[in-house]
Amino acid sequence: MQNAPMNTTILGACPHDCPDTCSLVTTVKDGVAIKVQGNPDHPMTDGVLCAKVSRYTERTYHPDRLLYPMKRIGPKGSGQFERISWDEALNTIANRLKPIVATRPEKLLPYSYAGTMGLVQGESIAMRFFNLLGAAKLDRTICSSAGGEALTYTLGGKVGMKMGMFAESQLIIIWGSNSITSNIHFWRIAQEAKRQGARLVCIDPRRSETAAKCDLHLAIKPGTDAALALALMHELITHDWLDHDYIAQYTLGFEALRERALQWSPERAAEVCGLKVEDIRQLAHDFAHTTPAGIRLNYGVQRSRGGGNAVRAIACLPALTGAWRHRGGGVLMSATHHARAHNIGLQRPDLHRNPKAPLINMSTIGDALNTPGLVEAVIVYNSNPVAVAPESAKVVKGFAREDLFTVVLEHFMTDTADHADVVLPATTQLEHWDIHNSYGHTDVVLNQPAIAPLGEAKTNTQIFRELGLRLGLNHPEMQDTDEALCQLALQSPSNLNSAQPITWAALLKAGFAHWPVADAPFAKGGFPTPSGKCEFVSERLSAMGLDPLPDHIPNYEQSNATATYPLAMISPPARNFLNSTFVNVKSLRDMEGEPLLEIHPLDAAQRQVNDGDMVRVFNDRGSYHCKAQITTRAQPGLVVGLGVWWRKLGANHTNVNELTSQLLTDMGRAPVFYDCTVQVASLR
Ligand SMILES: Nc1nc2c(c(=O)[nH]1)N[C@H]1C(S)=C(S)[C@@H](COP(=O)(O)OP(=O)(O)OC[C@H]3O[C@@H](n4cnc5c(=O)[nH]c(N)nc54)[C@H](O)[C@@H]3O)O[C@H]1N2
Ligand SMILES: Nc1nc2c(c(=O)[nH]1)N[C@H]1C(S)=C(S)[C@@H](COP(=O)(O)OP(=O)(O)OC[C@H]3O[C@@H](n4cnc5c(=O)[nH]c(N)nc54)[C@H](O)[C@@H]3O)O[C@H]1N2
Ligand code: SF4
Ligand SMILES: [Mo]
């Protein structure tokens, strides 16, 4: 790499946790990456990147980038570290871990999420490492498992419409998503549809950038989407706006669903959802009478108690009207299971040999770390739990434990890295090989290294290989190179046996390839459920003692809102950050300004809060100081704390997760970030 000639371009993949998984073109001059652009040849990217990743070189060459291994020399959380050699770092870690993995490996916990979505720098060698050691297993629930399980019970997996087909929709319902912020390439497609005459409807408690630009915004109360979906069904059924043929051939349990839906008149739902009866009736009418009608469902709906049920209810709608028959009809939440990568081959779950290994939920890491004897050591990579996990006070207390041994693989000194005993510098996307699926579209995208690793940074895979060797893991499974792992990702039986398998040569050349997915995947049923049908009634749920039909489950906190904490709070992502990534990139932070709380003028007046005041947002779990922005983006009774800032950059060194709870969703054991109540007071 060092000898790259002047101005070469290298094809890559955006690593971030974003449904767009863009194909990147990095220009390198004298071994230095000078710009990162969108690949004009990749249809989904269309030559355009978001503001964040357009600044990827600013992040990569950031003066604060971690370039050497570091050990902590001050108290946990103080951020006092000194540089050490790789040998000292790896030996220190190995010496601390040896007695644990020898007698009680289940006390070692991996903690990782989607800092990179790469299949190689994510869970390949890392998972093999923890499997071979017999470590605790991490239940990776922090983002999408409520909705993911709900989709699986209903449609059979994380499957749905193809993103590009929304260009043909005549009605697009954007449900629980701020596409302009979090799925900008979908928004481009929706605009294309709009030019062809489509109507755009947004269902969101907040008048987001996206809601403001749609033809209609339904400002629903948080956590009430299932009630709305059931009322839409009520209208479809009572007016007989149904595709009886589709229902008969390709669905399961219509009679039972019918009875359930008939309990949800638009009047009842309007009351629960805070919407107008006419708006609900009109939406049902339009959904039934506009062909094709597509629903871009997203994760915002599944971050409250009844999130799984809400996703199930919404995912039933297109089967009732037969919208699936058309390329531009149906629902898309996640396309993950359309991909055919060889995850099992990469991760090797078969290597895990410790029956005593517990499954620890990442969403309740606060409780887990404070449970005596459960976790003795934790290795964090691709995640920043101290900032992103709910009920931070407990997470911080857990990571501050003197007897906990913590290793963090990072690009920067995050809130989590501040609590580590040893911090190891990891490579960024420009410095390593990787291969990516998308949860938005259905392409596979390859990432080739553009520059040499900066400083002494190593890839996640290499760090686990070297640590493995010091812990006696000289297994051949640990030695696969990153490039070989990228190739292995294509060796799944489903790719190899497909009519036109994606080949390594083709992927290397183009930088991306399309997994074979029909344009209207469920036009003739064929859902990957046990019955092969869209399952309105789920026997699998019933077998677990759960309601086999979707229903509205009221929020934990908002439905019991008290005079003490009367305001509902949601904390969706800020446009210029990606979860807690990019918060330390100055140009992006300048665009976001500072941590904000949006509050409606009526709620502000009641509390004598002026625009721009510093406020204390609080509940029994903690208190978060930020600046109030008085705006009708928030509806009365609702405040919006845009996430996810670094705690150490916050006014009182907390962020919005100081307020969120560790309660879990109805399905998928996921956090209820948007099911939270608070009070607000001016600090003037
Ligand atoms: N710029 C940027 N892009 C991102 C991210 C980021 O942090 N920044 N995060 C990435 C990640 S990890 C993910 S998972 C995806 C998430 O992407 P999406 O699933 O598309 O979700 P968000 O854009 O977070 O939008 C959630 C929307 O749901 C609304 N909402 C909150 N509660 C409810 C509710 O009860 N019902 C309904 N109907 N709406 C509700 C919020 O106001 C918000 O506008 O985005 C990814 N893309
Ligand atoms: N209140 C509230 N909290 C939320 C959310 C919300 O909407 N509201 N959203 C939730 C959601 S959807 C999600 S997905 C989670 C996300 O939570 P996380 O997955 O923890 O995501 P990030 O905050 O982006 O942190 C990822 C970290 O990985 C590091 N990283 C990136 N690439 C690499 C690499 O190649 N190697 C190594 N070693 N490190 C790397 C980055 O520097 C970054 O610090 O947050 C959740 N938290
Ligand atoms: S964050 Fe999303 S929109 Fe931005 S470059 Fe990455 S994949 Fe594309
Ligand atoms: Mo996420």
Side-chain angles (χ1 to χ4, degrees):
M1 280 311 126
Q2 282 94 334
N3 301 323
M6 305 237 328
N7 281 356
T8 43
T9 55
I10 285 101
L11 290 175
C14 175
H16 292 296
D17 188 348
C18 166
D20 297 15
T21 315
C22 290
S23 168
L24 309 179
V25 182
T26 301
T27 306
V28 178
K29 189 178 177 195
D30 300 330
V32 176
I34 52 173
K35 62 182 171 203
V36 178
Q37 291 166 296
N39 182 353
D41 299 329
H42 181 232
M44 278 298 145
T45 308
D46 199 27
V48 183
L49 303 179
C50 63
K52 306 175 288 295
V53 175
S54 303
R55 287 178 174 74
Y56 204 72
T57 55
E58 193 182 331
R59 185 176 187 275
T60 303
Y61 296 107
H62 196 293
D64 298 341
R65 179 77 193 275
L66 268 167
L67 298 176
Y68 310 100
M70 309 277 253
K71 76 170 178 203
R72 186 169 49 79
I73 50 169
K76 290 199 174 189
S78 67
Q80 294 164 36
F81 284 79
E82 85 183 8
R83 179 179 171 181
I84 53 174
S85 69
W86 268 106
D87 260 345
E88 182 182 347
L90 293 171
N91 289 337
T92 307
I93 300 169
N95 289 338
R96 283 295 301 262
L97 293 185
K98 264 182 203 155
I100 298 176
V101 299
T103 58
R104 47 192 195 288
E106 65 279 1
K107 309 283 181 198
L108 167 65
L109 177 71
Y111 196 99
S112 68
Y113 202 64
T116 169
M117 299 273 297
L119 300 181
V120 172
Q121 304 306 334
E123 305 303 342
S124 65
I125 297 288
M127 197 67 102
R128 295 176 184 189
F129 170 90
F130 291 107
N131 286 346
L132 285 164
L133 291 177
K137 296 178 183 171
L138 185 71
D139 198 8
R140 291 180 171 78
T141 55
I142 202 155
C143 170
S144 64
S145 59
E149 287 198 4
L151 273 192
T152 301
Y153 293 126
T154 317
L155 306 180
K158 290 179 160 183
V159 291
M161 281 175 72
K162 284 176 87 170
M163 188 129 97
M165 296 302 152
F166 278 94
E168 296 180 7
S169 307
Q170 282 296 299
L171 172 69
I172 300 180
I173 303 179
I174 300 178
W175 203 324
S177 180
N178 184 2
S179 316
I180 294 179
T181 280
S182 59
N183 192 187
I184 184 73
H185 295 80
F186 165 77
W187 181 250
R188 173 178 57 77
I189 295 165
Q191 294 310 107
E192 211 175 303
K194 194 169 174 171
R195 285 192 293 276
Q196 310 293 326
R199 271 189 92 229
L200 271 48
V201 176
C202 184
I203 303 174
D204 196 310
R206 172 178 184 243
R207 191 162 47 76
S208 66
E209 296 90 322
T210 307
K213 290 208 164 77
C214 283
D215 298 296
L216 176 67
H217 170 212
L218 299 182
I220 194 168
K221 285 188 188 162
T224 65
D225 301 272
L228 174 58
L230 286 159
L232 296 177
M233 291 180 203
H234 179 281
E235 291 299 282
L236 300 179
I237 291 165
T238 53
H239 293 92
D240 197 22
W241 294 330
L242 299 168
D243 183 333
H244 291 283
D245 181 54
Y246 195 93
I247 293 171
Q249 290 200 62
Y250 308 128
T251 72
L252 192 71
F254 174 67
E255 279 308 316
L257 182 69
R258 181 176 179 278
E259 266 181 50
R260 175 65 54 87
L262 290 179
Q263 296 167 16
W264 282 94
S265 66
E267 288 75 13
R268 181 178 174 202
E271 179 77 32
V272 169
C273 305
L275 297 174
K276 292 197 195 105
V277 179
E278 310 82 78
D279 283 344
I280 298 178
R281 289 190 197 284
Q282 187 67 44
L283 183 62
H285 174 274
D286 294 350
F287 182 67
H289 291 89
T290 317
T291 304
I295 303 175
R296 181 61 172 123
L297 174 58
N298 235 317
Y299 292 109
V301 301
Q302 48 103 69
R303 304 203 200 288
S304 34
R305 183 187 187 179
N309 268 275
V311 167
R312 252 174 73 59
I314 296 164
C316 290
L317 289 167
L320 291 170
T321 59
W324 288 116
R325 292 184 190 274
H326 312 279
R327 307 201 307 177
V331 58
L332 171 65
M333 184 165 89
S334 166
T336 298
H337 293 149
H338 284 304
R340 301 186 179 200
H342 198 15
N343 293 319
I344 288 180
L346 291 169
Q347 301 179 3
R348 299 294 303 274
D350 57 300
L351 297 175
H352 205 295
R353 303 224 197 283
N354 180 2
K356 280 195 286 182
L359 181 66
I360 295 182
N361 190 341
M362 71 186 305
S363 302
T364 49
I365 186 67
D367 282 345
L369 293 180
N370 289 296
T371 302
L374 186 61
V375 183
E376 292 185 29
V378 52
I379 302 183
V380 181
Y381 53 104
N382 303 338
S383 187
N384 184 9
V386 171
V388 304
E391 204 173 359
S392 313
K394 290 198 178 152
V395 183
V396 170
K397 184 170 171 232
F399 275 104
R401 258 174 53 197
E402 274 309 321
D403 62 333
L404 180 75
F405 181 66
T406 304
V407 178
V408 176
L409 283 59
E410 251 302 348
H411 298 152
F412 293 101
M413 286 307 291
T414 60
D415 291 324
T416 306
D418 282 347
H419 291 82
D421 293 277
V422 180
V423 180
L424 302 175
T427 47
T428 70
Q429 192 75 345
L430 299 187
E431 300 151 62
H432 55 226
W433 281 96
D434 218 327
I435 186 164
H436 292 251
N437 284 324
S438 170
Y439 59 98
H441 57 70
T442 49
D443 302 337
V444 54
V445 189
L446 183 68
N447 185 73
Q448 301 189 46
I451 57 171
L454 297 192
E456 293 182 0
K458 293 183 196 249
T459 58
N460 289 345
T461 46
Q462 186 60 16
I463 295 172
F464 283 110
R465 280 186 203 103
E466 293 185 16
L467 200 52
L469 278 179
R470 282 175 165 76
L471 292 169
L473 302 181
N474 41 19
H475 301 60
E477 294 87 352
M478 294 295 292
Q479 303 314 320
D480 290 345
T481 66
D482 290 1
E483 205 179 330
L485 291 165
C486 289
Q487 296 187 33
L488 177 63
L490 299 179
Q491 305 295 311
S492 62
S494 58
N495 183 42
L496 297 177
N497 298 333
S498 92
Q500 281 176 312
I502 295 176
T503 65
W504 177 244
L507 189 58
L508 256 185
K509 184 151 181 266
F512 64 90
H514 310 294
W515 294 113
V517 183
D519 286 348
F522 307 119
K524 296 195 176 124
F527 293 94
T529 50
S531 64
K533 298 178 174 190
C534 173
E535 297 195 347
F536 298 149
V537 165
S538 168
E539 277 180 22
R540 289 180 287 179
L541 283 172
S542 180
M544 292 190 303
L546 297 173
D547 189 344
L549 286 164
D551 204 353
H552 167 60
I553 300 177
N555 275 359
Y556 285 111
E557 300 206 343
Q558 200 186 342
S559 58
N560 303 310
T562 56
T564 332
Y565 304 122
L567 298 168
M569 185 191 77
I570 57 173
S571 48
R575 182 166 182 183
N576 294 296
F577 302 150
L578 212 134
N579 301 319
S580 76
T581 303
F582 295 107
V583 178
N584 61 327
V585 173
K586 190 171 177 309
S587 63
L588 294 169
R589 193 169 65 241
D590 288 348
M591 279 191 248
E592 287 300 326
E594 55 193 303
L596 282 183
L597 186 82
E598 295 176 350
I599 182 167
H600 189 274
L602 290 173
D603 292 319
Q606 272 179 18
R607 293 165 178 79
Q608 282 101 45
V609 168
N610 295 334
D611 194 48
D613 276 2
M614 285 302 287
V615 287
R616 184 164 72 94
V617 192
F618 60 101
N619 59 22
D620 288 341
R621 291 178 287 269
S623 133
Y624 168 47
H625 295 183
C626 60
K627 195 160 142 179
Q629 186 174 67
I630 301 181
T631 167
T632 53
R633 278 191 190 285
Q635 46 171 302
L638 175 80
V639 291
V640 183
L642 291 176
V644 179
W645 284 76
W646 286 15
R647 287 170 62 88
K648 56 180 157 187
L649 298 175
N652 66 335
H653 300 296
T654 62
N655 71 14
V656 77
N657 279 321
E658 193 74 7
L659 304 168
T660 53
S661 80
Q662 292 183 81
L663 294 168
L664 299 176
T665 49
D666 53 349
M667 288 172 210
R669 308 159 305 283
V672 294
F673 288 118
Y674 305 167
D675 178 350
C676 173
T677 53
V678 299
Q679 181 56 291
V680 175
S682 178
L683 286 168
R684 217 176 338 116

